[in-house]
Amino acid sequence: MVDDLFNLIPNGRMACSTLGMLEVISILLRQYNGKRLARPAFTQAMAEFETEVASNSQFVKTSVDDALLKAAIPLLAKHNLNASDTVILLSAVNLQLSLQQKGDNLILCAADKRLARAAMAEGLMVFNPEIDSIARLHQLLGVSVSNPAQE
């Protein structure tokens, strides 16, 4: 599903907070260390992440600084999130505000249910690659599906 996401959206239209990048690597390591991801798959996933996101100058990375951390504090209690998810949420909310000024919208890709619920409460569109379908992704992107078998 994430591959479909990367195939449908140009790199310059995708963004990730620097903290979110660490979260992705942490999840891959946890899957590998828990023996749920074989070494070849782990190595490939890490290499693809490095190429497609971390080292890709077209892929937008949002910074985390002290001002963002301080501004995220009220969201902790409001949504009962952990610290990193709260920072990711505020980064997404801030990016959404910036995009709306340009007539565009953000779709947050998140598998964490509490983060997704909080993001929707903050007015963000959310795509969960673990439970949403490709048809849902197309709907969020406003892309028509040319092959009904993809739904």
Side-chain angles (χ1 to χ4, degrees):
M1 193 63 71
V2 175
D3 285 340
D4 287 332
L5 185 70
F6 273 76
N7 289 330
L8 286 169
I9 303 170
N11 285 330
R13 296 199 33 96
M14 290 202 277
C16 186
S17 75
T18 51
L19 181 59
M21 291 172 54
L22 291 174
E23 287 279 334
V24 169
I25 294 167
S26 172
I27 291 165
L28 290 172
L29 283 167
R30 200 168 30 245
Q31 294 295 314
Y32 173 69
N33 290 335
K35 310 244 187 279
R36 292 178 297 279
L37 191 59
R39 185 167 196 65
F42 170 75
T43 302
Q44 180 180 351
M46 289 295 291
E48 287 176 5
F49 182 75
E50 176 64 31
T51 302
E52 294 175 3
V53 178
S55 295
N56 186 340
S57 61
Q58 293 180 339
F59 199 103
V60 177
K61 288 102 174 162
T62 61
S63 296
V64 175
D65 59 17
D66 287 347
L68 182 73
L69 295 173
K70 187 173 180 180
I73 293 170
L75 290 177
L76 276 167
K78 180 178 180 183
H79 296 294
N80 193 29
L81 296 172
N82 65 43
S84 58
D85 285 348
T86 304
V87 172
I88 291 167
L89 175 60
L90 184 56
S91 294
V93 167
N94 289 345
L95 185 54
Q96 169 68 357
L97 292 172
S98 174
L99 289 171
Q100 282 178 330
Q101 292 174 353
K102 299 173 187 174
D104 210 347
N105 284 305
L106 174 98
I107 301 169
L108 178 67
C109 181
D112 183 279
K113 290 176 184 158
R114 285 190 308 160
L115 175 57
R117 199 169 30 250
M120 287 186 285
E122 293 295 325
L124 300 178
M125 291 186 288
V126 177
F127 176 75
N128 182 336
E130 290 184 352
I131 61 172
D132 286 335
S133 66
I134 189 69
R136 167 91 170 120
L137 178 59
H138 285 146
Q139 176 190 21
L140 289 170
L141 293 171
V143 174
S144 61
V145 181
S146 57
N147 180 358
Q150 288 183 321
E151 294 185 45

